[in-house]
C-alpha cells in the first residue's frame, strides 16, 4: 500500500437526499486523490427512527401502519435512485437490491405481527436503513465513475452477543477486514460499508447502539490500522456546546480523546460515546468535519489535544434523565450501596450516567437515560430484594426527570474556582442547581438541574467560561480561526 488509508463516515443528514449524496461523492472523490478510502455510511436521516416505529406498530398488531411506513421508505429510496442512477441496467440492479432488503424486513415483520419483538429481531429491523443506504451510495459512486462495492458489516465486524449494544471482538474483526477490504483497496475499489451493525461469530446480526455508525468507522479504522478516521456530519466539528442550544458555540480545533469521549458520554450527540475507544490505543487521529462545508478543517481529536485551552474546553447537555432514588437506613453504607447498584446495572449493560446524593439525608440518586429507566429499576429491585423485604431500603421506582450539564476540561478539579464560578453565575441568573458531581477523572464536573433551566444554564456557563470568545485559544489553526471570525 503506497498511500495513506482513511476511513470516512457519513452520517444520516449527509446522505439524506440525492443532492446531499452528490456532495458526498465529491468528498469521496477528493479523498481518493490522496488516500486509500473505506467509506462507512449511516441510514438516510430519519430512516432508523421510522424503522423503530415499524417495530412498535408491528408489536401493536397495526399492520396498516407498518405497510404505510414501508411504502414511505420505498418511495424515498426509489426517488433517490431515480435522481442519481441514469443507466437503465444499473437502476434495475440497485432497485432489485433495495427491494430484496425491503422484502426481507417485511417478512420478519409479518412473522412477528402482534407479538413482542425479540432483541435480535429488533436489531434486524433497525439495521435495514444502513443495508439500503450502502448499496445506494455504492451505485451512485459507480454512476460517477468511481469503482465501489457495498459491503454489509456483518461480514466484517465480529461482535459479542449483546443485541442493541454490541461491542467488537478486535482480533476476529481485524482478520475479516484484512481479508475482505485490503484486496478491494488494492484493486482500486472503494468499499462502502454499512455503519451501525455487526454480527456475532455465529452470524447473528447485532447493532452497536443508536448513533453507532461513528463507532463502526473507528472499529474499521483500528482493524485496518488506518492513518485517520474522518466523521463527516452536519456541523463544523466538535463545538463548545450543542449549537442547537447555544447559538454562540464555537468549533474546537483540536481536543483530546479523553475530553471528546467525556463530552460524547454526557450528551454531545456528534459522537457515539464509544467512538474513540478503538483508536485511542494506537493514537489514530479522528476528525469531525462538515459535509456541507468541506472547505472547513473541522475538529481534530488526538491523544494530547491542544494544550493551551482554558479551564473549561466545552459543555455538553443531556436534556432528559430519569432519577431513581435509593433511600432508607441501608444508605448509611452509601459506598457499598452505590457499588452494588452500579455492578448490578453494568452486568446487564445498562449505563448509569451519574450517582449523586441530594439534599435529603439518607438518599442516593441515580440519573439514567429515560429509555432504560424501567430495566434499571428492575435490575436494582432484584439486587436489593433482601433490603427491600427487610425495609432497610424503600421500594425503588422511577422519580423526577432532570437535565444534566457537564463541563469538560483538562485538570478541571486541580484548578481552583471552577465550581465557585459556576455557583456564582447560576445564583446571579437565579438558576437552581439540584446537585453537582465531580467526575471520576479530572475531566468533568456535572450539574444536575431542572429540565426547564437547561438552555439558560448552558448559556450562562458558556458565557461565564467565555467559550464563545473569538480569540479563545481552542484554535491551533490560524486559517480556520481567520475564516471563522470573518
Ligand atoms: P450524524 O447524522 O452525522 O451522525 P448527529 O445528528 O448524530 O449527526 O450528530 C450531529 C449533531 O450533534 C449536530 O447537528 C449537533 O446538533 C449535535 N451536537 C450536540 N453537541 C454537539 C457538540 N458539542 N458539537 C457539535 N455538535 C453537537
Ligand atoms: N442509523 C443509526 C441511528 O440512527 C446509526 C447512526 O446513524 O449512526 O442510530
Ligand atoms: Mg450520529
Amino acid at each position: 500500500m503506497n498511500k495513506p488509508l482513511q476511513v470516512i463516515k457519513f452520517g444520516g443528514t449527509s446522505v439524506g437526499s440525492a443532492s446531499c449524496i452528490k456532495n458526498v461523492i465529491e468528498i469521496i472523490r477528493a479523498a481518493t486523490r490522496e488516500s486509500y478510502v473505506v467509506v462507512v455510511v449511516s441510514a438516510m436521516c430519519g430512516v432508523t427512527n421510522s424503522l423503530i416505529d415499524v417495530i412498535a406498530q408491528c408489536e401493536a398488531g397495526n399492520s396498516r401502519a407498518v405497510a404505510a411506513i414501508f411504502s414511505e421508505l420505498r418511495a424515498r429510496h426509489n426517488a433517490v435512485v431515480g435522481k442519481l442512477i441514469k443507466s437503465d441496467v444499473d437502476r434495475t440492479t440497485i432497485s432489485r437490491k433495495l427491494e430484496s432488503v425491503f422484502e426481507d424486513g417485511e417478512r420478519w415483520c409479518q412473522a412477528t405481527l402482534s407479538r413482542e419483538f425479540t432483541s435480535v429481531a429488533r436489531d434486524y429491523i433497525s439495521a435495514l436503513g444502513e443495508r439500503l443506504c450502502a448499496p445506494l451510495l455504492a451505485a451512485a459512486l459507480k454512476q460517477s465513475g468511481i469503482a465501489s462495492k457495498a459491503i454489509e458489516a456483518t461480514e466484517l465486524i465480529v461482535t459479542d452477543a449483546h443485541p442493541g449494544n454490541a461491542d467488537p471482538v478486535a482480533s476476529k474483526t481485524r482478520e475479516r477486514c484484512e481479508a475482505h477490504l485490503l484486496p478491494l483497496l488494492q484493486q482500486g475499489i472503494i468499499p462502502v460499508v454499512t455503519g451501525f451493525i455487526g454480527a456475532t461469530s455465529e452470524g447473528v446480526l447485532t447493532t452497536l447502539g443508536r448513533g453507532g455508525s461513528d463507532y463502526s468507522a473507528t472499529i474499521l479504522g483500528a482493524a485496518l490500522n488506518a492513518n485517520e478516521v474522518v466523521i463527516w456530519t452536519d456541523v463544523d466539528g466538535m463545538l463548545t456546546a450543542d449549537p442547537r442550544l447555544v447559538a454562540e458555540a464555537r468549533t474546537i480545533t483540536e481536543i483530546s480523546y479523553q475530553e471528546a469521549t467525556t463530552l460524547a458520554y454526557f450528551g454531545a450527540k456528534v459522537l457515539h460515546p464509544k467512538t474513540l475507544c478503538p483508536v485511542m490505543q494506537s493514537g489514530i487521529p479522528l476528525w469531525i468535519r462538515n459535509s456541507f462545508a468541506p472547505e472547513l478543517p473541522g475538529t481534530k481529536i488526538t491523544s494530547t489535544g491542544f494544550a493551551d485551552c482554558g479551564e473549561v474546553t466545552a459543555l455538553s447537555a443531556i436534556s432528559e434523565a430519569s432519577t431513581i432514588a435509593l433511600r432508607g437506613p441501608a444508605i448509611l453504607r452509601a459506598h457499598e450501596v452505590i457499588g452494588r447498584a452500579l455492578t448490578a446495572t453494568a452486568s446487564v449493560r445498562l449505563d448509569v450516567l451519574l450517582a449523586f446524593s441530594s439534599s435529603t439525608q439518607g438518599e442516593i440518586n441515580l440519573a439514567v437515560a429515560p429509555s432504560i429507566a424501567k430495566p434499571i429499576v428492575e435490575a436494582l429491585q432484584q439486587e436489593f430484594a433482601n433490603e427491600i423485604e427487610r425495609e432497610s431500603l424503600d421500594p425503588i421506582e422511577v422519580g423526577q426527570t432532570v437535565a444534566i450539564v457537564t463541563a469538560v476540561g483538562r485538570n478541571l478539579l486541580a484548578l481552583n474556582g471552577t465550581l465557585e464560578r459556576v455557583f456564582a453565575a447560576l445564583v446571579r441568573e437565579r438558576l437552581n442547581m439540584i446537585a453537582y458531581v465531580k467526575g471520576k477523572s479530572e475531566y468533568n464536573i456535572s450539574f444536575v438541574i431542572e429540565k426547564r433551566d437547561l438552555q439558560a444554564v448552558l448559556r450562562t456557563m458558556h458565557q461565564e467560561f467565555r467559550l464563545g470568545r473569538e480569540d479563545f485559544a481552542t484554535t491551533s489553526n490560524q486559517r480556520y480561526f481567520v475564516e471563522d471570525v470573518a
Side-chain angles (χ1 to χ4, degrees):
M1 305 267 285
N2 53 4
K3 283 194 287 187
L5 171 64
Q6 266 189 47
V7 176
I8 60 182
K9 174 258 172 177
F10 296 93
T13 330
S14 302
V15 289
S17 66
S19 66
C20 294
I21 293 179
K22 282 188 187 157
N23 223 2
V24 157
I25 290 172
E26 293 319 309
I27 292 173
I28 296 173
R29 199 193 300 282
T32 56
R33 289 194 195 109
E34 299 153 13
S35 313
Y36 290 105
V37 171
V38 173
V39 174
V40 174
V41 74
S42 296
M44 292 168 80
C45 52
V47 170
T48 312
N49 285 347
S50 297
L51 292 166
I52 285 169
D53 198 18
V54 161
I55 297 171
Q57 298 296 346
C58 206
E59 288 183 331
N62 197 348
S63 55
R64 273 211 193 150
V66 172
I69 301 171
F70 272 121
S71 145
E72 220 176 275
L73 291 176
R74 267 194 179 88
R76 182 165 170 203
H77 285 82
N78 288 335
V80 175
V81 169
K83 285 190 186 143
L84 291 179
I85 315 297
K86 299 296 168 215
S87 134
D88 286 343
V89 178
D90 290 347
R91 203 165 49 236
T92 308
T93 312
I94 181 65
S95 300
R96 282 208 187 119
K97 170 69 197 162
L98 299 190
E99 190 47 34
S100 76
V101 176
F102 280 120
E103 283 172 7
D104 198 11
E106 281 169 329
R107 260 194 312 275
W108 276 64
C109 287
Q110 274 150 15
T112 322
L113 194 66
S114 303
R115 279 185 286 136
E116 198 179 330
F117 272 58
T118 60
S119 34
V120 170
R122 267 174 189 282
D123 271 1
Y124 201 84
I125 299 297
S126 339
L128 294 175
E130 274 71 13
R131 295 180 55 213
L132 293 164
C133 194
L136 183 49
L137 178 58
L141 282 165
K142 182 174 173 229
Q143 174 75 50
S144 309
I146 302 173
S148 66
K149 183 171 188 244
I151 303 184
E152 300 209 349
T154 43
E155 308 290 317
L156 302 174
I157 299 181
V158 181
T159 72
D160 56 18
H162 275 276
N165 193 10
D167 277 319
V169 180
S171 53
K172 289 187 182 163
T173 301
R174 179 178 290 270
E175 273 169 32
R176 298 258 189 112
C177 287
E178 285 174 356
H180 286 75
L181 299 179
L182 294 183
L184 290 177
L185 294 175
Q186 274 151 359
Q187 291 165 59
I189 298 171
I190 298 194
V192 180
V193 182
T194 55
F196 185 47
I197 65 183
T200 62
S201 44
E202 290 75 37
V204 179
L205 186 149
T206 50
T207 64
L208 309 175
R210 290 306 306 269
S213 301
D214 302 328
Y215 194 21
S216 310
T218 51
I219 292 169
L220 296 183
L224 293 169
N225 205 13
N227 296 75
E228 58 185 19
V229 177
V230 187
I231 306 279
W232 288 93
T233 182
D234 59 1
V235 279
D236 290 351
M238 190 151 228
L239 274 66
T240 49
D242 185 341
R244 287 170 303 186
L245 297 169
V246 182
E248 314 77 58
R250 284 176 48 80
T251 308
I252 298 164
T253 299
E254 194 169 329
I255 186 170
S256 68
Y257 291 138
Q258 288 298 346
E259 288 167 289
T261 296
T262 312
L263 285 168
Y265 182 80
F266 285 105
K269 191 185 170 221
V270 67
L271 277 186
H272 181 282
K274 292 182 196 160
T275 307
L276 294 161
C277 303
V279 291
M280 267 187 198
Q281 215 179 3
S282 39
I284 299 170
L286 181 128
W287 290 85
I288 304 177
R289 298 186 63 182
N290 191 345
S291 69
F292 300 93
E295 69 286 1
L296 298 179
T299 299
K300 188 177 189 185
I301 308 180
T302 57
S303 22
T304 50
F306 181 56
D308 249 358
C309 334
E311 110 189 65
V312 172
T313 309
L315 304 173
S316 60
I318 294 176
S319 57
E320 285 197 344
S322 301
T323 55
I324 298 169
L326 299 172
R327 51 175 101 79
I331 296 303
L332 288 174
R333 305 185 311 277
H335 284 298
E336 183 202 320
V337 171
I338 293 182
R340 278 174 59 195
L342 297 184
T343 311
T345 50
S347 69
V348 281
R349 232 182 246 210
L350 295 168
D351 260 350
V352 170
L353 295 164
L354 291 174
F356 60 95
S357 30
S358 70
S359 47
T360 321
Q361 288 236 320
E363 177 173 314
I364 294 165
N365 276 280
L366 306 179
V368 305
S371 58
I372 56 168
K374 229 176 106 208
I376 289 201
V377 165
E378 284 159 12
L380 294 171
Q381 279 165 341
Q382 208 174 344
E383 173 64 28
F384 294 109
N386 281 338
E387 285 79 358
I388 296 170
E389 164 105 35
R390 281 188 269 113
E391 296 186 357
S392 67
L393 265 189
D394 291 356
I396 301 168
E397 43 199 48
V398 181
Q400 85 178 114
T401 307
V402 293
I404 300 170
V405 169
T406 299
V408 173
R410 291 149 180 260
N411 250 344
L412 265 191
L413 300 182
L415 293 164
N416 286 324
T418 311
L419 266 175
E420 287 73 6
R421 279 177 74 180
V422 175
F423 291 150
L426 297 190
V427 167
R428 204 168 51 234
E429 299 296 322
R430 296 173 198 277
L431 292 163
N432 249 340
M433 185 194 300
I434 299 171
Y436 73 89
V437 187
K438 292 180 184 178
K440 266 187 245 136
S441 67
E442 71 276 27
Y443 291 102
N444 69 290
I445 308 177
S446 294
F447 301 92
V448 182
I449 54 168
E450 303 278 355
K451 215 167 100 65
R452 61 165 188 267
D453 291 339
L454 177 65
Q455 198 163 21
V457 169
L458 265 178
R459 287 183 178 166
T460 301
M461 285 172 60
H462 201 266
Q463 221 165 19
E464 175 62 32
F465 293 102
R466 305 182 70 194
L467 298 180
R469 240 172 69 180
E470 282 167 359
D471 61 337
F472 193 62
T474 48
T475 177
S476 58
N477 181 326
Q478 284 306 316
R479 185 170 76 84
Y480 182 51
F481 179 55
V482 172
E483 278 176 4
D484 195 36
V485 173

